[in-house]
Amino acid sequence: MARITGSNGARTAAAIRRVALRLIYRQGFAAMNLRDLAAEVGIQPSSLYNHIASKQALLADLMHEHMEALLSATDAALAAAGPALMDRLRAFIGHHVLYHTERRQEVYIANFELRALDPANLARIVAMRAGYEARLMALLREGVAAGELEIADIPVTAFAMLAMLTGICT
């Protein structure tokens, strides 16, 4: 593919991210190579390094961007639901399913390519995931404290809920 006339750094960077998501989703991170990525974007392989530090950094950035968007959108959905606990719990559940359905590639990569992250990037992403899980656990704890929910083990219940909700999307 030839480079698009009039393209610029921002457009090229966005194209790299878009194509990388598709290739990683389709082939897996280990099988995706930077030569194929560059060819699909329409740039020379060496030009990728004007936009990414490394293949590892690209994956970590894609996952970090996904987690930031998920956390921000979740907080907005919870705030919009109002103060009632069950409304916020329904909002969390509905938002999780909608977000994960609309962003299948990002979700798949964030869930199945954790193994490809180096230790520092893995720790950063796992901490963000823990923050997401903590939002649900806080709702469940609040429900138990208010007598609206009866849950014996909040972490296990939260993880089971997240697995089921994510399963709907996959």
Side-chain angles (χ1 to χ4, degrees):
M1 170 180 190
R3 185 172 164 98
I4 300 168
T5 303
S7 66
N8 62 36
R11 266 190 15 199
T12 301
I16 289 168
R17 296 174 90 68
R18 186 177 57 256
V19 172
L21 277 172
R22 184 169 39 80
L23 291 176
I24 296 168
Y25 176 75
R26 204 180 317 142
Q27 301 171 357
F29 178 73
M32 191 268 302
N33 71 63
L34 295 180
R35 287 191 180 281
D36 291 343
L37 174 60
E40 287 207 32
V41 173
I43 61 176
Q44 294 297 316
S46 60
S47 295
L48 282 172
Y49 296 103
N50 292 323
H51 304 280
I52 64 171
S54 66
K55 184 178 170 185
Q56 172 67 208
L58 174 62
L59 177 64
D61 288 347
L62 291 171
M63 286 187 176
H64 188 264
E65 186 176 278
H66 160 72
M67 287 306 304
E68 280 186 331
L70 175 62
L71 292 168
S72 176
T74 300
D75 290 343
L78 291 173
L85 168 69
M86 295 311 285
D87 290 342
R88 287 183 287 129
L89 185 56
R90 281 187 201 91
F92 182 95
I93 291 167
H95 166 63
H96 182 96
V97 171
L98 182 63
Y99 183 95
H100 284 65
T101 301
E102 291 177 342
R103 294 168 180 87
R104 289 179 191 264
Q105 290 180 347
E106 293 93 330
V107 169
Y108 181 85
I109 291 166
N111 287 329
F112 292 100
E113 294 296 347
L114 284 171
R115 65 185 178 260
L117 292 173
D118 65 27
N121 285 321
L122 178 61
R124 183 171 61 134
I125 299 304
V126 168
M128 295 177 86
R129 289 169 60 109
Y132 183 71
E133 295 156 355
R135 285 160 172 78
L136 176 57
M137 286 186 218
L139 290 170
L140 298 177
R141 278 191 196 91
E142 184 180 335
V144 169
E148 295 183 52
L149 299 172
E150 188 175 320
I151 299 171
D153 190 322
I154 289 174
V156 169
T157 301
F159 293 138
M161 287 177 68
L162 289 170
M164 287 185 280
L165 293 170
T166 303
I168 290 169
C169 307
T170 56

